[in-house]
């Protein structure tokens, strides 16, 4: 069954909010709660079309003369029932839209809290604060990016499994992971899923944990002190003995669309084996001691050893990947 809902991400940090204002908390604490943005207009408009035309006349447009996509999203594109991820600091919340577009015109009154918080275009929405360990990786990567659109559809939220995950997560509203995951069932689910869907759910920390666990299964041991004092560009130093000879290893992990520069590791490879993980294959000719750990290898490792996953990661994969 195809899910018609859309998954959005919204940064509730409007540019014109007063310094002491807290727009995120303002939206969350409204009765009923809302999600909102700035770009306020001084007049009230009865229709979305009229408001969009006014934004166009005010120059709130992109390079092609279209009203900015974030404005169009809040006013027009989001539909009732859609889910919207929001975040402030270390808190993440999943919201479900309950109304069409609503407006609060700009006010010159100093006591007007809407204007102080620069919230002028909004939707009524139910909020569910989500345990950080259950936040999909694509959501964390979206909000941690240096520059993001105020409101957009994250690419990782477009798959059917991503839509199913947010719906189940919102409806069940787990505050902590208490479900016991059937490991054989999890193996079957992961094996049947696209690699991209698996890694869209894993956040950067979970991806790093998976890579390190995979390497430990090949006889490597992590030098504990190196995890906090590792050389720049690596996660940690590894050691193992193979054929009675000691070996050194180094590992770097990138998640999402982030990539590594192979040339930066050629000198390090002269002292040990360098393991690099990114989603796409490494480009160019690799020296013998620089090795790519592919997403397929890691997916297959999960299938073979699901019991090694942290409980929250296993729960997230089961919930996000299981079929209807």
């Amino acid at each position: 069954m195809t899910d018609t809902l859309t998954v959005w991400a919204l940064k509730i940090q409007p540019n014109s909010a007063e310094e002491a204002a807290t727009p995120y908390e303002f939206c969350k604490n409204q009765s009923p709660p809302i999600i909102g943005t700035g770009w306020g207009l001084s007049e009230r408009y009865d229709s979305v079309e009229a408001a969009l035309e006014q934004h166009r006349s005010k120059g709130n447009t992109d390079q092609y003369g279209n009203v900015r996509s974030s404005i169009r999203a809040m006013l027009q594109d989001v539909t009732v029932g859609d889910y919207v991820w929001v975040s402030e600091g270390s808190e993440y919340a999943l919201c479900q839209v309950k109304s069409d577009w609503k407006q609060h015109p700009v006010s010159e009154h100093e006591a007007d809290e809407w204007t102080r918080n620069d919230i002028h275009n909004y939707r009524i929405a139910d909020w569910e604060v989500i345990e950080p360990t259950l936040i999909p990786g694509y959501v964390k990567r979206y909000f941690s990016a240096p520059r993001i659109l105020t409101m957009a559809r994250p690419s990782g939220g477009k798959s059917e499994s991503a839509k199913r995950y947010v719906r189940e997560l919102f409806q069940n509203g787990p505050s902590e992971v208490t479900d016991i995951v059937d490991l054989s069932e999890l193996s079957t689910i992961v094996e049947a899923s696209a690699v991209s869907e698996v890694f869209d759910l894993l956040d950067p920390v979970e991806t790093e944990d998976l890579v390190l666990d995979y390497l430990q299964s090949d006889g490597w041991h992590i030098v504990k002190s190196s995890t906090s004092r590792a050389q720049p560009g690596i996660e940690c130093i590894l050691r193992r003995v193979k054929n009675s000879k000691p070996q050194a290893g180094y590992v770097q992990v990138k998640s999402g669309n982030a990539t590594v520069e192979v040339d930066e590791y050629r000198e390090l490879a002269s002292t040990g084996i360098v393991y690099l993980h990114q989603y796409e294959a490494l480009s160019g000719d690799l020296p013998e001691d620089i090795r790519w750990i592919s997403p397929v290898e890691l997916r297959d490792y999960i299938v073979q050893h699901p019991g090694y996953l942290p409980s929250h990661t296993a729960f997230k994969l089961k919930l996000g990947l299981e079929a209807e």
Side-chain angles (χ1 to χ4, degrees):
M1 183 180 73
T2 300
D3 217 325
T4 57
L5 68 88
T6 301
V7 179
W8 302 84
L10 169 65
K11 180 179 68 173
I12 308 180
Q13 297 175 353
N15 292 332
S16 298
E18 293 186 6
E19 185 174 350
T22 54
Y24 178 91
E25 295 295 330
F26 176 80
C27 289
K28 184 170 69 170
N29 294 328
Q30 289 299 302
S31 182
I34 64 170
I35 55 171
T37 61
W39 292 299
L41 300 174
S42 57
E43 301 294 332
R44 185 176 296 278
Y45 291 86
D46 295 329
S47 70
V48 170
E49 292 74 16
L52 288 174
E53 185 56 39
Q54 181 63 12
H55 281 292
R56 186 177 290 104
S57 68
K58 288 172 64 68
N60 294 331
T61 55
D62 58 23
Q63 59 182 324
Y64 304 106
N66 300 314
V67 175
R68 291 181 180 180
S69 61
S70 295
I71 300 176
R72 285 187 281 111
M74 177 59 69
L75 273 65
Q76 174 179 269
D77 298 340
V78 172
T79 60
V80 173
D82 283 355
Y83 289 94
V84 183
W85 285 103
V86 295
S87 176
E88 181 73 15
S90 61
E91 180 175 290
Y92 292 85
L94 184 57
C95 307
Q96 187 177 34
V97 176
K98 294 296 184 181
S99 78
D100 291 328
W101 166 70
K102 296 180 180 295
Q103 177 194 14
H104 186 90
V106 175
S107 173
E108 296 182 359
H109 297 292
E110 294 182 1
D112 184 76
E113 290 297 316
W114 293 78
T115 299
R116 287 188 65 252
N117 284 277
D118 194 23
I119 300 295
H120 298 288
N121 299 284
Y122 66 97
R123 303 292 189 100
I124 294 173
D126 290 340
W127 283 54
E128 186 73 45
V129 175
I130 303 297
E131 168 70 30
T133 56
L134 297 179
I135 305 303
Y138 73 86
V139 175
K140 291 184 177 180
R141 286 187 285 270
Y142 182 87
F143 284 109
S144 65
R147 296 185 64 183
I148 60 174
L149 293 171
T150 297
M151 192 169 199
R153 295 179 61 194
S155 58
K158 297 179 181 179
S159 68
E160 291 303 310
S161 61
K163 295 177 182 180
R164 184 169 58 249
Y165 182 73
V166 297
R167 187 184 66 248
E168 294 296 328
L169 190 62
F170 186 86
Q171 291 176 355
N172 295 331
S175 58
E176 58 185 49
V177 179
T178 56
D179 289 43
I180 298 175
V181 176
D182 183 293
L183 296 181
S184 62
E185 182 184 1
L186 178 60
S187 288
T188 301
I189 292 170
V190 172
E191 188 173 25
S193 300
V195 173
S196 61
E197 292 183 339
V198 174
F199 280 85
D200 277 340
L201 287 169
L202 299 178
D203 69 22
V205 173
E206 290 165 331
T207 304
E208 182 181 329
D209 285 345
L210 179 59
V211 170
L212 293 178
D213 195 58
Y214 173 72
L215 290 171
Q216 288 178 96
S217 74
D218 195 31
W220 288 103
H221 295 263
I222 298 171
V223 178
K224 176 64 172 66
S225 60
S226 72
T227 59
S228 58
R229 297 194 296 272
Q231 302 176 46
I234 63 173
E235 310 295 348
C236 65
I237 298 172
L238 307 168
R239 301 287 294 181
R240 74 176 176 185
V241 176
K242 191 170 186 178
N243 299 326
S244 301
K245 294 182 180 180
Q247 291 182 325
Y250 311 93
V251 59
Q252 175 61 289
V253 180
K254 297 292 184 181
S255 66
N257 295 323
T259 59
V260 296
E261 291 292 336
V262 174
D263 289 344
E264 295 178 2
Y265 295 89
R266 294 184 184 276
E267 183 177 349
L268 191 61
S270 66
T271 66
I273 303 174
V274 177
Y275 293 95
L276 303 176
H277 168 74
Q278 63 181 37
Y279 189 80
E280 300 294 340
L282 298 173
S283 59
D285 295 328
L286 300 181
E288 181 181 356
D289 288 330
I290 294 183
R291 302 176 188 178
W292 176 51
I293 301 176
S294 73
V296 173
E297 289 178 74
L298 296 176
R299 192 274 306 273
D300 292 346
Y301 179 72
I302 294 174
V303 171
Q304 296 166 12
H305 305 286
Y308 292 162
L309 292 172
S311 60
H312 65 268
T313 305
F315 179 83
K316 182 191 290 187
L317 290 175
K318 179 180 182 296
L319 186 62
L321 298 174
E322 65 184 349
E324 292 282 4

